[in-house]
């Protein structure tokens, strides 16, 4: 999904008017040091964003707050959250399309520990050659709008199973 697609999805499902991001109330004061807890309502891993429902009702308008992957504190290759996961976060104001909005900052597990779910997710997969082995190749094609492409695998890899070039 392109960034424009992310915005359209967000506006359709969470953003109110459908034309602009939901503005933060003009009198809303952000406590830059405060930490809050909540539960992940939805997270779109391949788009890199989602929403958290704060445990404290009335904390933010609509009782849902936007979370972007860059604000997730993690050593995982692809920082992500899972629906229903309990998290801790701070709040910040951010200008989006000329509108001052609210979003999360410094998202962690409760107690402040790093979010680490990549190993759990990887344990459900089968990797060619092993989980930590990386291959080289030449990019044949990539479509950024659709988010996929093809790589021609370099020669010289001793693989235990047949893999198309």
């Amino acid at each position: 999904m392109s960034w424009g697609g992310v915005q359209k999805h967000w506006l359709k499902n969470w953003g109110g008017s459908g034309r602009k991001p939901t503005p933060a109330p003009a009198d809303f004061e952000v406590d830059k040091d405060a930490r809050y807890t909540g539960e992940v309502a939805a997270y779109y891993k391949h788009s890199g964003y989602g929403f958290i429902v704060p445990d404290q009702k009335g904390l933010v308008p609509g009782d849902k707050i936007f979370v972007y992957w860059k604000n997730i504190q993690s050593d995982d290759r692809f920082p992500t959250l899972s629906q229903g996961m309990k998290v801790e976060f701070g709040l910040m104001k951010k200008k989006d399309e000329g509108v001052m909005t609210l979003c999360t900052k410094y998202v962690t597990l409760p107690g402040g520990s790093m979010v680490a779910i990549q190993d759990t997710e990887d344990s459900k997969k089968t990797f060619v050659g092993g989980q930590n082995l990386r291959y080289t190749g030449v990019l044949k094609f990539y479509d950024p709008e659709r988010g996929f492409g093809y790589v021609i695998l370099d020669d010289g890899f001793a693989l235990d199973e047949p893999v198309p070039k």
Side-chain angles (χ1 to χ4, degrees), residues 63-110:
D63 288 326
K64 290 184 184 106
I65 188 81
F66 182 82
V67 58
Y68 190 54
W69 73 270
K70 288 183 178 182
N71 299 103
I72 300 170
Q73 303 306 298
S74 178
D75 289 327
D76 287 347
R77 291 186 311 275
F78 304 106
T80 189
L81 300 171
S82 299
Q83 184 175 4
M85 175 185 266
K86 291 299 239 172
V87 293
E88 187 175 299
F89 59 93
L91 293 177
M92 68 177 174
K93 285 186 176 181
K94 180 179 179 195
K95 200 168 226 176
D96 186 8
E97 293 185 29
V99 176
M100 194 58 74
T101 63
L102 294 172
C103 62
T104 60
K105 70 173 184 179
Y106 204 78
V107 179
T108 65
L109 294 177

mmCIF file of all heavy atoms in Angstrom, residues 63-110:
data_model
loop_
_atom_site.group_PDB
_atom_site.id
_atom_site.type_symbol
_atom_site.label_atom_id
_atom_site.label_comp_id
_atom_site.label_asym_id
_atom_site.label_seq_id
_atom_site.Cartn_x
_atom_site.Cartn_y
_atom_site.Cartn_z
ATOM 1 N N ASP A 63 -10.643 8.214 21.590
ATOM 2 C CA ASP A 63 -10.043 7.092 22.336
ATOM 3 C C ASP A 63 -9.242 6.140 21.459
ATOM 4 O O ASP A 63 -9.154 4.946 21.736
ATOM 5 C CB ASP A 63 -11.108 6.324 23.126
ATOM 6 C CG ASP A 63 -11.609 7.117 24.316
ATOM 7 O OD1 ASP A 63 -10.810 7.867 24.912
ATOM 8 O OD2 ASP A 63 -12.802 6.991 24.648
ATOM 9 N N LYS A 64 -8.637 6.666 20.386
ATOM 10 C CA LYS A 64 -7.718 5.898 19.541
ATOM 11 C C LYS A 64 -6.580 6.830 19.153
ATOM 12 O O LYS A 64 -6.804 7.997 18.857
ATOM 13 C CB LYS A 64 -8.404 5.386 18.284
ATOM 14 C CG LYS A 64 -9.408 4.306 18.545
ATOM 15 C CD LYS A 64 -9.973 3.790 17.247
ATOM 16 C CE LYS A 64 -11.035 2.781 17.515
ATOM 17 N NZ LYS A 64 -12.380 3.255 17.277
ATOM 18 N N ILE A 65 -5.367 6.282 19.127
ATOM 19 C CA ILE A 65 -4.195 7.095 18.788
ATOM 20 C C ILE A 65 -3.386 6.382 17.715
ATOM 21 O O ILE A 65 -3.208 5.166 17.757
ATOM 22 C CB ILE A 65 -3.350 7.424 20.050
ATOM 23 C CG1 ILE A 65 -2.239 8.425 19.756
ATOM 24 C CG2 ILE A 65 -2.820 6.188 20.698
ATOM 25 C CD1 ILE A 65 -2.680 9.831 19.731
ATOM 26 N N PHE A 66 -2.897 7.132 16.743
ATOM 27 C CA PHE A 66 -2.116 6.626 15.616
ATOM 28 C C PHE A 66 -0.715 6.244 16.082
ATOM 29 O O PHE A 66 -0.096 6.962 16.860
ATOM 30 C CB PHE A 66 -2.037 7.729 14.549
ATOM 31 C CG PHE A 66 -1.306 7.347 13.296
ATOM 32 C CD1 PHE A 66 -1.945 6.634 12.304
ATOM 33 C CD2 PHE A 66 0.016 7.720 13.112
ATOM 34 C CE1 PHE A 66 -1.271 6.301 11.131
ATOM 35 C CE2 PHE A 66 0.695 7.396 11.949
ATOM 36 C CZ PHE A 66 0.044 6.678 10.953
ATOM 37 N N VAL A 67 -0.202 5.105 15.597
ATOM 38 C CA VAL A 67 1.169 4.670 15.879
ATOM 39 C C VAL A 67 1.852 4.335 14.551
ATOM 40 O O VAL A 67 1.276 3.662 13.706
ATOM 41 C CB VAL A 67 1.223 3.475 16.860
ATOM 42 C CG1 VAL A 67 0.442 2.277 16.347
ATOM 43 C CG2 VAL A 67 2.652 3.075 17.167
ATOM 44 N N TYR A 68 3.054 4.852 14.370
ATOM 45 C CA TYR A 68 3.842 4.617 13.154
ATOM 46 C C TYR A 68 5.039 3.748 13.520
ATOM 47 O O TYR A 68 5.573 3.855 14.628
ATOM 48 C CB TYR A 68 4.295 5.970 12.579
ATOM 49 C CG TYR A 68 4.903 5.905 11.207
ATOM 50 C CD1 TYR A 68 4.228 5.299 10.158
ATOM 51 C CD2 TYR A 68 6.147 6.459 10.955
ATOM 52 C CE1 TYR A 68 4.781 5.241 8.891
ATOM 53 C CE2 TYR A 68 6.706 6.415 9.691
ATOM 54 C CZ TYR A 68 6.021 5.804 8.658
ATOM 55 O OH TYR A 68 6.570 5.752 7.411
ATOM 56 N N TRP A 69 5.476 2.905 12.602
ATOM 57 C CA TRP A 69 6.528 1.925 12.905
ATOM 58 C C TRP A 69 7.798 2.569 13.435
ATOM 59 O O TRP A 69 8.493 1.989 14.266
ATOM 60 C CB TRP A 69 6.836 1.046 11.699
ATOM 61 C CG TRP A 69 7.587 1.726 10.587
ATOM 62 C CD1 TRP A 69 7.056 2.390 9.535
ATOM 63 C CD2 TRP A 69 9.001 1.812 10.450
ATOM 64 N NE1 TRP A 69 8.051 2.900 8.746
ATOM 65 C CE2 TRP A 69 9.261 2.553 9.282
ATOM 66 C CE3 TRP A 69 10.079 1.345 11.192
ATOM 67 C CZ2 TRP A 69 10.551 2.829 8.844
ATOM 68 C CZ3 TRP A 69 11.358 1.623 10.754
ATOM 69 C CH2 TRP A 69 11.584 2.349 9.588
ATOM 70 N N LYS A 70 8.124 3.773 13.010
ATOM 71 C CA LYS A 70 9.359 4.418 13.453
ATOM 72 C C LYS A 70 9.332 4.777 14.938
ATOM 73 O O LYS A 70 10.375 5.031 15.531
ATOM 74 C CB LYS A 70 9.636 5.678 12.628
ATOM 75 C CG LYS A 70 10.071 5.373 11.216
ATOM 76 C CD LYS A 70 10.408 6.635 10.463
ATOM 77 C CE LYS A 70 10.881 6.314 9.067
ATOM 78 N NZ LYS A 70 11.262 7.503 8.324
ATOM 79 N N ASN A 71 8.137 4.804 15.529
ATOM 80 C CA ASN A 71 8.023 5.138 16.946
ATOM 81 C C ASN A 71 8.025 3.907 17.850
ATOM 82 O O ASN A 71 7.936 4.033 19.057
ATOM 83 C CB ASN A 71 6.776 5.977 17.183
ATOM 84 C CG ASN A 71 6.840 7.278 16.419
ATOM 85 O OD1 ASN A 71 6.201 7.413 15.387
ATOM 86 N ND2 ASN A 71 7.631 8.214 16.877
ATOM 87 N N ILE A 72 8.119 2.719 17.264
ATOM 88 C CA ILE A 72 8.176 1.477 18.035
ATOM 89 C C ILE A 72 9.626 1.222 18.419
ATOM 90 O O ILE A 72 10.500 1.160 17.551
ATOM 91 C CB ILE A 72 7.627 0.282 17.224
ATOM 92 C CG1 ILE A 72 6.168 0.529 16.828
ATOM 93 C CG2 ILE A 72 7.774 -1.014 18.027
ATOM 94 C CD1 ILE A 72 5.636 -0.475 15.823
ATOM 95 N N GLN A 73 9.893 1.077 19.694
ATOM 96 C CA GLN A 73 11.246 0.831 20.199
ATOM 97 C C GLN A 73 11.521 -0.668 20.105
ATOM 98 O O GLN A 73 10.939 -1.456 20.854
ATOM 99 C CB GLN A 73 11.380 1.335 21.634
ATOM 100 C CG GLN A 73 11.053 2.797 21.790
ATOM 101 C CD GLN A 73 11.860 3.675 20.848
ATOM 102 O OE1 GLN A 73 13.087 3.707 20.920
ATOM 103 N NE2 GLN A 73 11.182 4.382 19.965
ATOM 104 N N SER A 74 12.380 -1.060 19.152
ATOM 105 C CA SER A 74 12.591 -2.474 18.873
ATOM 106 C C SER A 74 13.922 -2.688 18.172
ATOM 107 O O SER A 74 14.378 -1.824 17.425
ATOM 108 C CB SER A 74 11.453 -2.980 17.976
ATOM 109 O OG SER A 74 11.641 -4.326 17.642
ATOM 110 N N ASP A 75 14.513 -3.853 18.415
ATOM 111 C CA ASP A 75 15.693 -4.275 17.658
ATOM 112 C C ASP A 75 15.301 -5.219 16.529
ATOM 113 O O ASP A 75 16.161 -5.744 15.820
ATOM 114 C CB ASP A 75 16.704 -4.973 18.586
ATOM 115 C CG ASP A 75 17.377 -3.990 19.532
ATOM 116 O OD1 ASP A 75 17.576 -2.827 19.135
ATOM 117 O OD2 ASP A 75 17.703 -4.390 20.665
ATOM 118 N N ASP A 76 14.004 -5.486 16.367
ATOM 119 C CA ASP A 76 13.536 -6.371 15.303
ATOM 120 C C ASP A 76 13.864 -5.764 13.938
ATOM 121 O O ASP A 76 13.947 -4.545 13.792
ATOM 122 C CB ASP A 76 12.026 -6.584 15.402
ATOM 123 C CG ASP A 76 11.622 -7.477 16.563
ATOM 124 O OD1 ASP A 76 12.497 -8.140 17.147
ATOM 125 O OD2 ASP A 76 10.416 -7.505 16.885
ATOM 126 N N ARG A 77 14.019 -6.639 12.939
ATOM 127 C CA ARG A 77 14.294 -6.169 11.580
ATOM 128 C C ARG A 77 13.173 -5.260 11.078
ATOM 129 O O ARG A 77 13.415 -4.274 10.404
ATOM 130 C CB ARG A 77 14.449 -7.359 10.621
ATOM 131 C CG ARG A 77 15.683 -8.176 10.847
ATOM 132 C CD ARG A 77 15.869 -9.249 9.776
ATOM 133 N NE ARG A 77 14.698 -10.063 9.501
ATOM 134 C CZ ARG A 77 14.338 -11.150 10.184
ATOM 135 N NH1 ARG A 77 15.040 -11.548 11.211
ATOM 136 N NH2 ARG A 77 13.277 -11.839 9.824
ATOM 137 N N PHE A 78 11.943 -5.631 11.373
ATOM 138 C CA PHE A 78 10.778 -4.874 10.949
ATOM 139 C C PHE A 78 9.908 -4.614 12.185
ATOM 140 O O PHE A 78 9.071 -5.451 12.528
ATOM 141 C CB PHE A 78 9.981 -5.652 9.895
ATOM 142 C CG PHE A 78 10.801 -6.035 8.705
ATOM 143 C CD1 PHE A 78 11.214 -7.339 8.522
ATOM 144 C CD2 PHE A 78 11.187 -5.077 7.778
ATOM 145 C CE1 PHE A 78 11.982 -7.693 7.428
ATOM 146 C CE2 PHE A 78 11.953 -5.422 6.680
ATOM 147 C CZ PHE A 78 12.348 -6.726 6.506
ATOM 148 N N PRO A 79 10.112 -3.492 12.865
ATOM 149 C CA PRO A 79 9.312 -3.215 14.067
ATOM 150 C C PRO A 79 7.817 -3.293 13.750
ATOM 151 O O PRO A 79 7.351 -2.730 12.766
ATOM 152 C CB PRO A 79 9.706 -1.791 14.446
ATOM 153 C CG PRO A 79 11.072 -1.619 13.857
ATOM 154 C CD PRO A 79 11.053 -2.413 12.575
ATOM 155 N N THR A 80 7.104 -4.028 14.574
ATOM 156 C CA THR A 80 5.676 -4.230 14.353
ATOM 157 C C THR A 80 4.991 -4.464 15.690
ATOM 158 O O THR A 80 5.641 -4.719 16.700
ATOM 159 C CB THR A 80 5.431 -5.414 13.382
ATOM 160 O OG1 THR A 80 4.060 -5.465 13.028
ATOM 161 C CG2 THR A 80 5.871 -6.729 13.974
ATOM 162 N N LEU A 81 3.680 -4.376 15.674
ATOM 163 C CA LEU A 81 2.856 -4.656 16.846
ATOM 164 C C LEU A 81 1.809 -5.684 16.448
ATOM 165 O O LEU A 81 1.530 -5.854 15.262
ATOM 166 C CB LEU A 81 2.174 -3.381 17.342
ATOM 167 C CG LEU A 81 3.091 -2.229 17.759
ATOM 168 C CD1 LEU A 81 2.265 -0.960 18.024
ATOM 169 C CD2 LEU A 81 3.905 -2.606 18.976
ATOM 170 N N SER A 82 1.209 -6.335 17.426
ATOM 171 C CA SER A 82 0.152 -7.310 17.179
ATOM 172 C C SER A 82 -1.144 -6.833 17.820
ATOM 173 O O SER A 82 -1.127 -6.259 18.914
ATOM 174 C CB SER A 82 0.515 -8.663 17.788
ATOM 175 O OG SER A 82 1.682 -9.174 17.219
ATOM 176 N N GLN A 83 -2.248 -7.097 17.146
ATOM 177 C CA GLN A 83 -3.551 -6.730 17.690
ATOM 178 C C GLN A 83 -3.720 -7.375 19.063
ATOM 179 O O GLN A 83 -3.391 -8.536 19.264
ATOM 180 C CB GLN A 83 -4.657 -7.188 16.756
ATOM 181 C CG GLN A 83 -6.031 -6.748 17.214
ATOM 182 C CD GLN A 83 -7.117 -7.116 16.213
ATOM 183 O OE1 GLN A 83 -6.871 -7.762 15.215
ATOM 184 N NE2 GLN A 83 -8.326 -6.692 16.500
ATOM 185 N N GLY A 84 -4.203 -6.598 20.011
ATOM 186 C CA GLY A 84 -4.421 -7.084 21.365
ATOM 187 C C GLY A 84 -3.217 -6.948 22.282
ATOM 188 O O GLY A 84 -3.326 -7.157 23.487
ATOM 189 N N MET A 85 -2.064 -6.581 21.733
ATOM 190 C CA MET A 85 -0.834 -6.435 22.517
ATOM 191 C C MET A 85 -0.957 -5.234 23.454
ATOM 192 O O MET A 85 -1.446 -4.183 23.059
ATOM 193 C CB MET A 85 0.336 -6.241 21.554
ATOM 194 C CG MET A 85 1.666 -5.946 22.194
ATOM 195 S SD MET A 85 2.919 -5.612 20.921
ATOM 196 C CE MET A 85 3.612 -7.227 20.754
ATOM 197 N N LYS A 86 -0.512 -5.404 24.691
ATOM 198 C CA LYS A 86 -0.460 -4.297 25.646
ATOM 199 C C LYS A 86 0.846 -3.543 25.426
ATOM 200 O O LYS A 86 1.908 -4.160 25.290
ATOM 201 C CB LYS A 86 -0.527 -4.809 27.085
ATOM 202 C CG LYS A 86 -1.868 -5.395 27.456
ATOM 203 C CD LYS A 86 -2.969 -4.382 27.344
ATOM 204 C CE LYS A 86 -3.670 -4.174 28.643
ATOM 205 N NZ LYS A 86 -4.616 -3.063 28.593
ATOM 206 N N VAL A 87 0.764 -2.215 25.386
ATOM 207 C CA VAL A 87 1.940 -1.377 25.137
ATOM 208 C C VAL A 87 1.925 -0.165 26.062
ATOM 209 O O VAL A 87 0.921 0.140 26.704
ATOM 210 C CB VAL A 87 2.008 -0.905 23.665
ATOM 211 C CG1 VAL A 87 2.257 -2.063 22.721
ATOM 212 C CG2 VAL A 87 0.753 -0.138 23.270
ATOM 213 N N GLU A 88 3.063 0.504 26.091
ATOM 214 C CA GLU A 88 3.226 1.753 26.819
ATOM 215 C C GLU A 88 3.743 2.779 25.807
ATOM 216 O O GLU A 88 4.521 2.430 24.918
ATOM 217 C CB GLU A 88 4.234 1.539 27.952
ATOM 218 C CG GLU A 88 4.382 2.708 28.884
ATOM 219 C CD GLU A 88 5.300 2.364 30.047
ATOM 220 O OE1 GLU A 88 4.987 1.430 30.810
ATOM 221 O OE2 GLU A 88 6.339 3.030 30.168
ATOM 222 N N PHE A 89 3.315 4.030 25.938
ATOM 223 C CA PHE A 89 3.669 5.033 24.936
ATOM 224 C C PHE A 89 3.597 6.435 25.516
ATOM 225 O O PHE A 89 2.988 6.668 26.556
ATOM 226 C CB PHE A 89 2.726 4.932 23.724
ATOM 227 C CG PHE A 89 1.275 5.114 24.074
ATOM 228 C CD1 PHE A 89 0.681 6.368 23.994
ATOM 229 C CD2 PHE A 89 0.505 4.042 24.492
ATOM 230 C CE1 PHE A 89 -0.651 6.539 24.337
ATOM 231 C CE2 PHE A 89 -0.821 4.207 24.831
ATOM 232 C CZ PHE A 89 -1.407 5.452 24.756
ATOM 233 N N GLY A 90 4.217 7.350 24.804
ATOM 234 C CA GLY A 90 4.088 8.769 25.077
ATOM 235 C C GLY A 90 3.253 9.395 23.977
ATOM 236 O O GLY A 90 2.931 8.742 22.981
ATOM 237 N N LEU A 91 2.913 10.654 24.138
ATOM 238 C CA LEU A 91 2.144 11.385 23.126
ATOM 239 C C LEU A 91 2.956 12.544 22.581
ATOM 240 O O LEU A 91 3.801 13.103 23.284
ATOM 241 C CB LEU A 91 0.850 11.942 23.730
ATOM 242 C CG LEU A 91 -0.208 10.950 24.169
ATOM 243 C CD1 LEU A 91 -1.378 11.697 24.818
ATOM 244 C CD2 LEU A 91 -0.703 10.117 23.002
ATOM 245 N N MET A 92 2.680 12.889 21.337
ATOM 246 C CA MET A 92 3.286 14.080 20.753
ATOM 247 C C MET A 92 2.313 14.683 19.745
ATOM 248 O O MET A 92 1.429 14.009 19.235
ATOM 249 C CB MET A 92 4.618 13.760 20.090
ATOM 250 C CG MET A 92 4.546 12.910 18.859
ATOM 251 S SD MET A 92 6.202 12.699 18.169
ATOM 252 C CE MET A 92 5.865 11.525 16.878
ATOM 253 N N LYS A 93 2.499 15.969 19.504
ATOM 254 C CA LYS A 93 1.764 16.647 18.447
ATOM 255 C C LYS A 93 2.639 16.634 17.209
ATOM 256 O O LYS A 93 3.850 16.778 17.294
ATOM 257 C CB LYS A 93 1.433 18.084 18.837
ATOM 258 C CG LYS A 93 0.313 18.199 19.838
ATOM 259 C CD LYS A 93 -0.044 19.669 20.045
ATOM 260 C CE LYS A 93 -1.237 19.803 20.962
ATOM 261 N NZ LYS A 93 -1.592 21.225 21.152
ATOM 262 N N LYS A 94 1.995 16.456 16.056
ATOM 263 C CA LYS A 94 2.736 16.407 14.796
ATOM 264 C C LYS A 94 1.883 17.064 13.716
ATOM 265 O O LYS A 94 0.680 16.844 13.651
ATOM 266 C CB LYS A 94 3.024 14.944 14.428
ATOM 267 C CG LYS A 94 3.789 14.793 13.158
ATOM 268 C CD LYS A 94 4.053 13.326 12.863
ATOM 269 C CE LYS A 94 4.805 13.210 11.565
ATOM 270 N NZ LYS A 94 4.801 11.883 11.035
ATOM 271 N N LYS A 95 2.523 17.847 12.878
ATOM 272 C CA LYS A 95 1.815 18.493 11.778
ATOM 273 C C LYS A 95 1.685 17.498 10.623
ATOM 274 O O LYS A 95 2.658 16.889 10.199
ATOM 275 C CB LYS A 95 2.566 19.737 11.319
ATOM 276 C CG LYS A 95 1.702 20.693 10.549
ATOM 277 C CD LYS A 95 2.394 22.017 10.380
ATOM 278 C CE LYS A 95 1.378 23.089 10.708
ATOM 279 N NZ LYS A 95 1.931 24.409 10.682
ATOM 280 N N ASP A 96 0.459 17.296 10.157
ATOM 281 C CA ASP A 96 0.174 16.365 9.068
ATOM 282 C C ASP A 96 -0.766 17.060 8.105
ATOM 283 O O ASP A 96 -1.895 17.410 8.473
ATOM 284 C CB ASP A 96 -0.462 15.090 9.636
ATOM 285 C CG ASP A 96 -0.653 14.006 8.593
ATOM 286 O OD1 ASP A 96 -0.170 14.158 7.463
ATOM 287 O OD2 ASP A 96 -1.293 12.990 8.928
ATOM 288 N N GLU A 97 -0.310 17.283 6.885
ATOM 289 C CA GLU A 97 -1.089 17.990 5.863
ATOM 290 C C GLU A 97 -1.564 19.353 6.368
ATOM 291 O O GLU A 97 -2.688 19.771 6.138
ATOM 292 C CB GLU A 97 -2.282 17.149 5.408
ATOM 293 C CG GLU A 97 -1.894 15.889 4.663
ATOM 294 C CD GLU A 97 -3.098 15.150 4.122
ATOM 295 O OE1 GLU A 97 -4.128 15.795 3.821
ATOM 296 O OE2 GLU A 97 -2.998 13.935 3.985
ATOM 297 N N GLY A 98 -0.685 20.030 7.116
ATOM 298 C CA GLY A 98 -1.001 21.355 7.617
ATOM 299 C C GLY A 98 -1.893 21.374 8.846
ATOM 300 O O GLY A 98 -2.288 22.428 9.306
ATOM 301 N N VAL A 99 -2.213 20.196 9.384
ATOM 302 C CA VAL A 99 -3.096 20.084 10.542
ATOM 303 C C VAL A 99 -2.286 19.521 11.710
ATOM 304 O O VAL A 99 -1.569 18.545 11.559
ATOM 305 C CB VAL A 99 -4.285 19.134 10.230
ATOM 306 C CG1 VAL A 99 -5.158 18.926 11.449
ATOM 307 C CG2 VAL A 99 -5.100 19.660 9.064
ATOM 308 N N MET A 100 -2.404 20.129 12.879
ATOM 309 C CA MET A 100 -1.731 19.620 14.073
ATOM 310 C C MET A 100 -2.528 18.430 14.602
ATOM 311 O O MET A 100 -3.703 18.575 14.951
ATOM 312 C CB MET A 100 -1.614 20.720 15.130
ATOM 313 C CG MET A 100 -0.657 20.378 16.239
ATOM 314 S SD MET A 100 1.034 20.031 15.687
ATOM 315 C CE MET A 100 1.609 21.662 15.289
ATOM 316 N N THR A 101 -1.896 17.250 14.629
ATOM 317 C CA THR A 101 -2.558 16.021 15.061
ATOM 318 C C THR A 101 -1.836 15.437 16.277
ATOM 319 O O THR A 101 -0.761 15.903 16.648
ATOM 320 C CB THR A 101 -2.553 14.968 13.934
ATOM 321 O OG1 THR A 101 -1.205 14.619 13.632
ATOM 322 C CG2 THR A 101 -3.250 15.478 12.688
ATOM 323 N N LEU A 102 -2.418 14.397 16.855
ATOM 324 C CA LEU A 102 -1.796 13.668 17.955
ATOM 325 C C LEU A 102 -1.366 12.293 17.468
ATOM 326 O O LEU A 102 -2.068 11.666 16.669
ATOM 327 C CB LEU A 102 -2.786 13.480 19.112
ATOM 328 C CG LEU A 102 -3.234 14.730 19.828
ATOM 329 C CD1 LEU A 102 -4.364 14.391 20.801
ATOM 330 C CD2 LEU A 102 -2.073 15.359 20.570
ATOM 331 N N CYS A 103 -0.214 11.825 17.951
ATOM 332 C CA CYS A 103 0.228 10.473 17.648
ATOM 333 C C CYS A 103 1.120 9.986 18.792
ATOM 334 O O CYS A 103 1.452 10.742 19.697
ATOM 335 C CB CYS A 103 0.948 10.398 16.309
ATOM 336 S SG CYS A 103 2.452 11.355 16.194
ATOM 337 N N THR A 104 1.484 8.713 18.713
ATOM 338 C CA THR A 104 2.317 8.133 19.757
ATOM 339 C C THR A 104 3.779 8.463 19.532
ATOM 340 O O THR A 104 4.198 8.788 18.426
ATOM 341 C CB THR A 104 2.181 6.604 19.786
ATOM 342 O OG1 THR A 104 2.581 6.087 18.521
ATOM 343 C CG2 THR A 104 0.766 6.188 20.120
ATOM 344 N N LYS A 105 4.548 8.358 20.612
ATOM 345 C CA LYS A 105 6.001 8.420 20.513
ATOM 346 C C LYS A 105 6.556 7.390 21.480
ATOM 347 O O LYS A 105 5.903 7.040 22.467
ATOM 348 C CB LYS A 105 6.543 9.814 20.837
ATOM 349 C CG LYS A 105 6.428 10.209 22.292
ATOM 350 C CD LYS A 105 7.144 11.516 22.562
ATOM 351 C CE LYS A 105 7.101 11.830 24.048
ATOM 352 N NZ LYS A 105 7.801 13.053 24.365
ATOM 353 N N TYR A 106 7.697 6.872 21.197
ATOM 354 C CA TYR A 106 8.429 5.952 22.060
ATOM 355 C C TYR A 106 7.518 4.831 22.591
ATOM 356 O O TYR A 106 7.235 4.753 23.774
ATOM 357 C CB TYR A 106 9.085 6.727 23.219
ATOM 358 C CG TYR A 106 10.276 6.003 23.799
ATOM 359 C CD1 TYR A 106 11.496 6.011 23.158
ATOM 360 C CD2 TYR A 106 10.152 5.288 24.988
ATOM 361 C CE1 TYR A 106 12.584 5.338 23.691
ATOM 362 C CE2 TYR A 106 11.225 4.607 25.526
ATOM 363 C CZ TYR A 106 12.442 4.633 24.874
ATOM 364 O OH TYR A 106 13.512 3.955 25.392
ATOM 365 N N VAL A 107 7.060 3.975 21.665
ATOM 366 C CA VAL A 107 6.176 2.863 22.016
ATOM 367 C C VAL A 107 7.021 1.677 22.478
ATOM 368 O O VAL A 107 7.931 1.242 21.769
ATOM 369 C CB VAL A 107 5.294 2.460 20.817
ATOM 370 C CG1 VAL A 107 4.394 1.289 21.175
ATOM 371 C CG2 VAL A 107 4.468 3.651 20.340
ATOM 372 N N THR A 108 6.720 1.167 23.682
ATOM 373 C CA THR A 108 7.443 0.037 24.266
ATOM 374 C C THR A 108 6.435 -0.966 24.822
ATOM 375 O O THR A 108 5.229 -0.735 24.794
ATOM 376 C CB THR A 108 8.356 0.488 25.423
ATOM 377 O OG1 THR A 108 7.535 0.993 26.483
ATOM 378 C CG2 THR A 108 9.347 1.554 24.980
ATOM 379 N N LEU A 109 6.945 -2.052 25.380
ATOM 380 C CA LEU A 109 6.104 -2.943 26.164
ATOM 381 C C LEU A 109 5.872 -2.279 27.516
ATOM 382 O O LEU A 109 6.640 -1.397 27.912
ATOM 383 C CB LEU A 109 6.790 -4.301 26.340
ATOM 384 C CG LEU A 109 6.982 -5.114 25.059
ATOM 385 C CD1 LEU A 109 7.734 -6.404 25.362
ATOM 386 C CD2 LEU A 109 5.644 -5.425 24.392
ATOM 387 N N PRO A 110 4.830 -2.673 28.250
ATOM 388 C CA PRO A 110 4.626 -2.089 29.577
ATOM 389 C C PRO A 110 5.880 -2.250 30.438
ATOM 390 O O PRO A 110 6.529 -3.293 30.425
ATOM 391 C CB PRO A 110 3.452 -2.899 30.143
ATOM 392 C CG PRO A 110 2.690 -3.320 28.922
ATOM 393 C CD PRO A 110 3.755 -3.601 27.891
#
